[in-house]
Amino acid sequence: MPFYHQLGNIPPKRHTIFRKPNGDLYYEQLFGTIGFDGMSSNIYHEHRPTQVKEIRAQYSVAPKVAKANNMQSYRFRGFQVPPENDYLKSRKVVLTNSDCNIILAAPKHSTKDYFYKNTDADELIFIHKGTGKLRTFLGNLDFKYGDYLLVPRGVIYKLDFDTEDNRLFIVESYRPIYTPKRYRNWFGQLLEHSPFCERDIRRPQELETYDEKGEFLIKVKKQDDIFDMVYATHPFDVVGYDGFNYPYAFSIHDFEPITGRIHQPPPVHQTFETDAFVVCSFVPRLYDYHPQSIPAPYNHSNIDSDEVLYYVDGDFMSRNDIEAGHISLHPAGIPHGPHPGAVERSIGQTETEELAVMVDTFKPLKVTEEALKIADDTYFRSWLE
Ligand SMILES: [Fe+2]
């Protein structure tokens, strides 16, 4: 996150002597991205963060691609993804390319007997159903319906859920995920025309510190493999850190919509950016107020980006027969637009309660076997009159 955060105890100057009450030294770690050029945090551990005891297993979790080259519009019924006890097993990649994985998950239980670390992807976890706590070695964040949790690559974490009824929409990104640059000034501060500001971004406030030795399993993801790595000390042994690289939460309900007299284009809904895709939030808002305006979108040719819409809540005005948890995929190369009747239906409407998350990727997405299990194979004909 491009603003400074400090939690726990740190010495007044970096890379200097920092002792425990018993006189021993704490162990410093620079937790950085993009070599030494990207965002980083300086972390102080009770123990060396390097004490690997054992690499117990290595196994692939690569998505199984069913359609590598896709030209068909799809609807996927996300809530048909079956709940699973284990968090990592519950994550089903439905769409994938070399920049990102788009994942649906319905985990029933918290990650109890292991920690998880994704080494080469930032994870954007959208909470559709469920409450609980994201616990990380850099502090904890409570979550609820509508939260985006941004977990930068390398953050060791667990997810604690309050109940078994959880639905997550996750984007796993090999490109760093930032807030849009056009909403930040040259210092990184969010500008007045930004649809959210620093006050809306929740930073970790509660640091769990364990000074424990033993056997601690971290499931480490690297290049589509999971490595079961056993460490000799508790991964949550940080006494303090400061810097710019840490997990944070942002609620979709805190996104302030930008509206106009006539239909506003999708970039006004943009919430996150990478150099490979954007993430937009469609939130309840007043419709266009020109007396002759058509609130429904026009047909559009996303000629060079695939469009994924994840429907969260409310009535999605431009679509017929869309329910919460559904995903629509409109592939690059062909135009798409409102369903028959949607334009007429929208005229005279003054507001919408729709809530949705959109991911537009600049490279085509491959459709996985998991996606075809929940696919509506007739959706591509749904514009026929
Ligand atoms: Fe679209």
Side-chain angles (χ1 to χ4, degrees), residues 118-133:
N118 195 329
T119 63
D120 43 18
D122 291 1
E123 294 193 351
L124 183 66
I125 304 171
F126 178 77
I127 310 293
H128 192 169
K129 274 190 180 185
T131 57
K133 193 185 286 281

Side-chain angles (χ1 to χ4, degrees), residues 310-325:
Y310 179 72
Y311 301 89
V312 182
D313 203 358
D315 220 18
F316 214 78
M317 171 264 295
S318 62
R319 298 269 158 267
N320 302 336
D321 196 21
I322 283 283
E323 294 171 18

Side-chain angles (χ1 to χ4, degrees), residues 28-253:
E28 188 183 33
Q29 176 195 0
L30 182 70
F31 179 61
T33 56
I34 317 179
F36 288 86
D37 265 1
M39 288 187 277
S40 65
S41 288
N42 241 309
I43 302 173
Y44 297 87
H45 295 272
E46 289 279 359
H47 299 280
R48 290 175 208 285
T50 48
Q51 297 187 64
V52 178
K53 243 180 166 171
E54 203 183 331
I55 301 176
R56 238 177 233 165
Q58 175 182 353
Y59 52 93
S60 172
V61 289
K64 294 195 174 77
V65 171
K67 291 179 90 175
N69 193 0
N70 175 55
M71 192 48 110
Q72 182 176 333
S73 295
Y74 273 104
R75 175 173 63 150
F76 304 109
R77 298 180 180 95
F79 283 2
Q80 287 185 4
V81 166
E84 298 240 16
N85 289 325
D86 178 65
Y87 170 57
L88 288 182
K89 283 195 185 128
S90 78
R91 293 165 49 126
K92 311 292 183 197
V93 177
V94 288
L95 299 164
T96 183
N97 66 21
S98 56
D99 298 316
C100 65
N101 290 321
I102 293 174
I103 298 168
L104 291 168
K108 286 170 76 176
H109 298 292
S110 306
T111 42
K112 284 187 189 125
D113 56 356
Y114 64 88
F115 302 82
Y116 173 57
K117 178 166 92 166
N118 195 329
T119 63
D120 43 18
D122 291 1
E123 294 193 351
L124 183 66
I125 304 171
F126 178 77
I127 310 293
H128 192 169
K129 274 190 180 185
T131 57
K133 193 185 286 281
L134 168 68
R135 297 170 56 205
T136 85
F137 79 143
L138 297 180
N140 299 340
L141 289 158
D142 290 329
F143 63 78
K144 59 182 185 304
Y145 166 58
D147 280 344
Y148 290 104
L149 303 174
L150 196 293
V151 185
R153 62 203 59 198
V155 168
I156 303 167
Y157 77 85
K158 280 172 168 272
L159 275 176
D160 279 2
F161 299 104
D162 295 333
T163 71
E164 293 190 0
D165 188 16
N166 306 295
R167 291 278 169 187
L168 313 176
F169 174 76
I170 303 171
V171 185
E172 191 182 4
S173 173
Y174 298 105
R175 322 299 304 172
I177 301 175
Y178 303 126
T179 56
K181 196 173 180 200
R182 69 177 185 281
Y183 290 135
R184 285 185 266 118
N185 68 15
W186 62 97
F187 291 113
Q189 183 177 11
L190 290 162
L191 291 162
E192 282 296 308
H193 69 295
S194 170
F196 50 88
C197 82
E198 283 82 357
R199 293 184 202 182
D200 299 317
I201 290 165
R202 284 139 48 205
R203 292 168 285 171
Q205 296 299 338
E206 174 192 49
L207 194 59
E208 287 184 65
T209 309
Y210 299 93
D211 180 1
E212 286 177 24
K213 293 180 179 173
E215 298 208 330
F216 300 90
L217 175 63
I218 307 182
K219 288 185 175 283
V220 179
K221 184 164 188 236
K222 184 177 182 182
Q223 297 203 326
D224 281 338
D225 278 357
I226 298 270
F227 297 80
D228 282 354
M229 301 188 72
V230 180
Y231 275 77
T233 57
H234 198 295
F236 291 179
D237 75 337
V238 174
V239 295
Y241 70 93
D242 74 335
F244 287 59
N245 194 22
Y246 51 83
Y248 64 89
F250 170 70
S251 172
I252 196 169
H253 305 302

